[in-house]
Amino acid sequence: MAYDQNNIFAKILRGEIPCVKVFEDDNTLAFMDVMPQAQGHVLIIPKEPAESLLDLSAEGAAAVIATTQRVARAVKKALDAPGIYVMQLNGTPAGQTVFHVHFHVIPRDVSVPLKPHGGGVVDAKVLETVAVRIRGSM
Ligand code: 5GP
């Protein structure tokens, strides 16, 4: 399947729809997931247009994993998370729903059950209160 320039993350990258930003550099963008599976759920994407990890260049993969590591460290510190779950889905059968490659960083605590993937939408103002803590830990 060819890369769809109108997928949601392509629109976020072009600034056509808003996101609660956590980090940005020349090659990557990190922002709060609008339907978090746990408080502090962040998505990290390369700016390179690629549908899945399998389509991404080696340089794009290196950039996105470096930002994922940086965000994971900041999320752990900001939320005092005992564990960090890094998730990355490729293709509909694997559960991918947005077809611009992305990594999920999700804080984990065994006492807090993980919410369902693609569950309820959280208001941007609430996400911003978490994002400000994560940005302050980077
Ligand atoms: P996937 O299922 O493709 O691995 O993950 C897509 C993720 O994108 C889901 O966790 C979903 O909550 C999130 N998502 C979907 N639409 C939007 C949106 O418009 N803005 C943000 N920030 N996240 C979104």
Side-chain angles (χ1 to χ4, degrees):
M1 192 172 29
Y3 179 81
D4 175 9
Q5 296 287 350
N6 286 318
N7 74 74
I8 289 166
F9 294 169
K11 288 181 179 177
I12 286 175
L13 279 171
R14 291 197 295 269
E16 292 169 10
I17 64 169
C19 70
V20 176
K21 210 178 276 187
V22 168
F23 174 81
E24 182 170 17
D25 64 13
D26 288 347
N27 300 308
T28 62
L29 175 69
F31 53 96
M32 302 308 292
D33 194 304
V34 82
M35 291 176 269
Q37 290 188 252
Q39 188 189 46
H41 183 166
V42 180
L43 298 170
I44 303 91
I45 64 175
K47 294 186 177 177
E48 179 182 328
E51 198 177 295
S52 80
L53 186 61
L54 286 64
D55 308 306
L56 189 61
S57 69
E59 294 76 17
V64 76
I65 198 65
T67 299
T68 298
Q69 184 189 48
R70 186 171 178 173
V71 168
R73 286 175 173 156
V75 167
K76 182 166 172 57
K77 187 173 163 195
L79 300 176
D80 199 21
I84 294 290
Y85 181 32
V86 176
M87 176 172 78
Q88 201 281 312
L89 311 176
N90 299 284
T92 303
Q96 185 179 6
T97 59
V98 178
F99 293 94
H100 180 110
V101 58
H102 52 279
F103 283 72
H104 299 254
V105 164
I106 306 173
R108 289 294 292 124
D109 183 331
V110 283
S111 64
V112 182
L114 203 59
K115 291 185 188 144
H117 189 56
V121 173
V122 171
D123 189 84
K125 286 193 185 117
V126 175
L127 295 176
E128 177 59 27
T129 64
V130 183
V132 79
R133 291 164 61 190
I134 299 171
R135 288 195 295 266
S137 296
M138 297 196 78

